[in-house]
Amino acid sequence: MEPGTARIAVDLLGGDDAPAVVVDGALRAVRADPDLHLLLVGPTEVAAAVTDALTPAQRARTTVRPVRAAAGPAHHAPRADSTVRAAVAAIRDGAADALVSAGSTGATVSAAALGFGRWADVRRPALVATLPAVAGPVVLLDVGGSLEPRPLTLARHAVLGAAYAAVAHAVDRPRVGLLSVGTEAGKGDRPRKAADALLTAASLPCGARYVGLVEGYDVALGARADVVVTDGFTGNVLLKAIEGAYAMAGGPPAGGGAPRAAALLGVAGTVVVCHGAAGAEDVASGIALAAHLWRRGASDRVRALLDGAAVGSPAVDRIDEVRP
Amino acid sequence: MEPGTARIAVDLLGGDDAPAVVVDGALRAVRADPDLHLLLVGPTEVAAAVTDALTPAQRARTTVRPVRAAAGPAHHAPRADSTVRAAVAAIRDGAADALVSAGSTGATVSAAALGFGRWADVRRPALVATLPAVAGPVVLLDVGGSLEPRPLTLARHAVLGAAYAAVAHAVDRPRVGLLSVGTEAGKGDRPRKAADALLTAASLPCGARYVGLVEGYDVALGARADVVVTDGFTGNVLLKAIEGAYAMAGGPPAGGGAPRAAALLGVAGTVVVCHGAAGAEDVASGIALAAHLWRRGASDRVRALLDGAAVGSPAVDRIDEVRP
């Protein structure tokens, strides 16, 4: 754990099993990290369920921002008076450093994009999950930020993933692979073929190098790449398939299973999205991830690293817009 | 094992590690199944490596068709004088009942479509893999037959998968799910949303029922569906991700891991495709699968079941063709 205070705004009403698992997750997080402060965003009585269970010293590291409304239906922009919007506003006001929500991904991404703004050269924010593999972490993106496979989005997410692996996980010169159905050049559907060409010509940050096409095995095993790039549809179902396989196999491997918390990259703030079905342990790990990212200055550092990267061209941009 | 002779044509030159693993796989298959006959399609000296290792009684269940050429590059139609084309020709001549190849999937699909013809109402053949789950088998398709997600292809593959589950695995009234990023209606990318509408209105064979959207977990766990439908890109990377997860977890669960042999549906013949990196055990299991499908008359029975199914409309067909 890096040193330094981290003040995390927690959306008490986000998640299928909220507020119970969020309360439990917040308690675990406060107890585990003595430099963690929580801004509890939600109904007063829910926040009290956290604070009442803490020692006075722990309680001193919590603040309550009373908000009564949840984000609302998943397919709509979150209500202005919702917990997730209030949590974003709290960070803008300087009352917290980072946001964690297990609510609808769409609502969180929307609230963050509205409140923080997007990075200028990242049109589609990406959700980034980190899996523990034998040789080290594997960064998988996108796991659900944007679902349609677009070549330029894939190439830009490769840049994001490389920077994230270096900044968040201290991976030296990350190997970046593009997920496809085989490793030979030319394998894959049309978006993959076009993205492969873009990535072969791209300049990646942090000494990262593009290693070409990788396969499904590589996401869990990490043998061929430190960063695996795919579209949000494929990444999402893949991550859940790996989680299902670990459940079938009797439990995750030593070192950890499929993560249920992912970092949102592409907005000007530190945001962690937990799986809607997250349990208390998942929420606690999401809070720990947000604190880790804040302490490393990950969001700003990843953003700064994009300036040196070069992907695609205006002509490719236009193709990408017209033919998704 | 069903009773009855099954005569399987084996492509001795297909696969990354051919001919060694194919020879070993053929030996295992002959020894395991006393009613199995093999037509060994390949160079005489390779076939001799099989026959020389068998007892005289086992050897009597093998025939050799000498062919010297492999299929050639993966992205081209297989050579007319190749082992995979010769194996298809042998089935057309009545010298064998079914084909197994661990060569390039594209070459095998191409050879089978050329030699056997496609089923009239299946434009895109599907590769079908069966995973062992807790409650029973899970049929996953497509795992690499056609890579682009098209709504009508997804819906038609749902029909194929339902018929296959009933015929090949005796699943009673199969539950058919469409793989997406959440289970709530409306979750997913554009092809999934369109396919969901088609499937809601579809008439499925064998008393199968469409259960709506399922997630990655369900492929390994089988809790929500017996048949999981997705595009060939997603299915392929998913299957390999599950295989990688089992390797990370220290081995596959009791009952078996991710299969490395898949049935090809949509051509008028019994064809099993093994993974290019198949080992001897995988090749043997592919041969056993081909024999199983032949003994059940699976190909003809699945084909016949399609007549009673109704998916889409001519208008949808046109949309599907124009906007993949």
Side-chain angles (χ1 to χ4, degrees):
Chain A
M1 195 183 298
E2 279 83 1
T5 299
R7 301 168 305 156
I8 311 300
V10 177
D11 173 3
L12 292 176
L13 296 184
D16 300 347
D17 301 315
V21 298
V22 185
V23 166
D24 196 2
L27 286 172
R28 293 177 190 219
V30 170
R31 290 168 180 155
D33 179 351
D35 290 329
L36 184 74
H37 291 239
L38 291 189
L39 180 70
L40 303 165
V41 184
T44 313
E45 67 276 16
V46 175
V50 177
T51 51
D52 289 354
L54 295 171
T55 66
Q58 290 166 341
R59 198 175 305 133
R61 293 190 277 113
T62 63
T63 314
V64 178
R65 182 159 293 207
V67 179
R68 298 216 67 82
H75 295 293
H76 294 76
R79 298 168 49 157
D81 61 350
S82 62
T83 45
V84 69
R85 291 281 292 276
V88 168
I91 293 166
R92 291 196 57 180
D93 297 348
D97 302 319
L99 160 65
V100 174
S101 177
S104 141
T105 299
T108 305
V109 173
S110 171
L114 278 167
F116 300 134
R118 293 172 196 228
W119 292 342
D121 40 4
V122 177
R123 296 199 195 160
R124 300 183 182 278
L127 280 175
V128 187
T130 303
L131 293 94
V134 175
V138 173
V139 168
L140 174 68
L141 78 166
D142 179 14
V143 299
S146 64
L147 301 183
E148 312 284 344
R150 289 178 171 83
L152 193 59
T153 301
L154 291 167
R156 285 180 166 154
H157 285 180
V159 175
L160 284 182
Y164 184 82
V167 167
H169 301 301
V171 176
D172 184 40
R173 287 175 300 148
R175 299 164 299 162
V176 178
L178 177 66
L179 187 66
S180 194
V181 296
T183 57
E184 308 89 344
K187 282 275 187 185
D189 57 5
R190 285 176 292 177
R192 260 37 78 155
K193 289 176 184 175
D196 181 53
L198 288 174
L199 281 167
T200 301
S203 164
L204 299 175
C206 307
R209 55 198 189 287
Y210 177 56
V211 298
L213 305 181
V214 299
E215 295 183 271
Y217 321 109
D218 300 304
V219 176
L221 294 170
R224 294 171 45 87
D226 307 300
V227 178
V228 175
V229 179
T230 192
D231 61 277
F233 182 88
T234 306
N236 186 285
V237 298
L238 201 72
L239 192 62
K240 292 172 179 169
I242 290 171
E243 186 176 337
Y246 287 151
M248 268 295 283
R260 290 188 139 193
L264 179 67
L265 293 184
V267 297
T270 301
V271 179
V272 167
V273 174
C274 294
H275 193 297
E281 201 174 328
D282 303 317
V283 172
S285 78
I287 294 171
L289 174 61
H292 170 79
L293 295 175
W294 171 256
R295 286 167 175 149
R296 290 218 160 188
S299 180
D300 287 346
R301 288 169 64 195
V302 168
R303 171 69 193 83
L305 285 164
L306 303 190
D307 290 336
V311 167
S313 70
V316 172
D317 261 66
R318 283 196 299 275
I319 291 168
D320 197 52
E321 290 301 303
V322 177
R323 297 195 44 185
Chain B
M1 196 184 295
E2 280 82 2
T5 300
R7 300 168 307 156
I8 311 300
V10 177
D11 173 4
L12 293 176
L13 296 183
D16 300 348
D17 301 315
V21 296
V22 186
V23 166
D24 196 1
L27 286 172
R28 293 177 191 220
V30 169
R31 289 167 180 155
D33 179 350
D35 290 329
L36 184 74
H37 290 240
L38 291 190
L39 180 70
L40 303 165
V41 185
T44 313
E45 67 277 15
V46 175
V50 178
T51 51
D52 289 355
L54 296 172
T55 66
Q58 290 166 342
R59 198 177 305 134
R61 293 190 278 114
T62 64
T63 313
V64 177
R65 183 160 293 207
V67 178
R68 299 216 67 81
H75 294 295
H76 294 75
R79 297 167 49 157
D81 61 349
S82 62
T83 45
V84 68
R85 291 282 292 274
V88 167
I91 293 167
R92 291 196 57 180
D93 297 347
D97 302 319
L99 161 64
V100 174
S101 178
S104 140
T105 298
T108 305
V109 173
S110 171
L114 277 168
F116 300 135
R118 293 174 197 227
W119 292 341
D121 41 4
V122 177
R123 296 196 195 162
R124 301 184 182 276
L127 280 175
V128 187
T130 303
L131 294 94
V134 175
V138 173
V139 168
L140 175 68
L141 78 167
D142 179 14
V143 299
S146 63
L147 301 183
E148 310 283 345
R150 289 178 171 82
L152 193 58
T153 301
L154 290 167
R156 284 180 166 153
H157 285 179
V159 174
L160 285 182
Y164 184 81
V167 167
H169 300 301
V171 176
D172 185 38
R173 288 174 300 150
R175 298 164 300 163
V176 178
L178 178 66
L179 188 66
S180 194
V181 297
T183 58
E184 308 89 343
K187 283 276 187 186
D189 56 6
R190 285 176 292 178
R192 259 38 76 155
K193 288 176 185 174
D196 181 53
L198 288 174
L199 281 167
T200 301
S203 166
L204 299 174
C206 306
R209 55 199 189 285
Y210 177 58
V211 298
L213 305 181
V214 299
E215 295 183 272
Y217 321 108
D218 299 303
V219 177
L221 294 170
R224 294 172 44 87
D226 308 300
V227 178
V228 175
V229 179
T230 192
D231 61 277
F233 182 88
T234 305
N236 185 285
V237 298
L238 201 71
L239 192 62
K240 291 171 179 170
I242 290 172
E243 186 175 336
Y246 287 152
M248 269 294 284
R260 289 188 140 193
L264 179 67
L265 294 184
V267 298
T270 301
V271 179
V272 167
V273 174
C274 293
H275 194 296
E281 201 175 326
D282 303 316
V283 172
S285 77
I287 295 172
L289 174 61
H292 171 78
L293 295 175
W294 171 256
R295 286 166 176 149
R296 290 217 161 190
S299 180
D300 288 345
R301 288 169 64 194
V302 168
R303 171 69 193 82
L305 284 164
L306 303 190
D307 291 336
V311 166
S313 69
V316 172
D317 261 68
R318 283 194 300 273
I319 292 168
D320 197 53
E321 290 302 303
V322 177
R323 298 195 44 184

